[in-house]
Amino acid sequence: VPVDTETYALTEDERELLHAVQETPGISERELVESLGRSAPSVARAAKKLSQSGYLEAHHAGGETIWYPRTLGGPAPTEGGER
């Protein structure tokens, strides 16, 4: 589901992170840090805000946080699922 980021007043950092997760569902937080070139705390804060706002879902596997875009009415990805 496309997100109207202007309507929901997402920051540029949040928009970039959301786009990265939409492009690569199942991306780890570590991979987000590397691909976005941001600090781990910065990525964690933005991802947590997007999760609390209903845009992303976090899954924990093997000590890592894996991010998926939240879909309306669709099943949540299983932990350790393929991307």
Side-chain angles (χ1 to χ4, degrees):
V1 174
V3 175
D4 182 355
T5 57
E6 290 187 24
T7 299
Y8 296 102
L10 298 179
T11 67
E12 182 65 28
D13 286 351
E14 292 163 350
R15 284 193 297 270
E16 288 179 9
L17 190 145
L18 181 58
H19 179 73
V21 173
Q22 289 172 330
E23 291 294 312
T24 312
I27 190 169
S28 72
E29 198 161 292
R30 177 185 47 77
E31 291 170 319
L32 284 167
V33 166
E34 292 171 6
S35 69
L36 297 173
R38 299 211 183 95
S39 70
S42 171
V43 168
R45 275 192 305 274
K48 182 178 180 180
K49 180 181 173 190
L50 290 169
S51 177
Q52 290 172 336
S53 299
Y55 294 114
L56 299 180
E57 292 183 13
H59 297 266
H60 304 283
E64 288 204 70
T65 303
I66 309 299
W67 292 99
Y68 293 90
R70 183 165 290 164
T71 57
L72 296 177
T78 59
E79 286 193 31
E82 299 295 316
R83 18 174 189 166

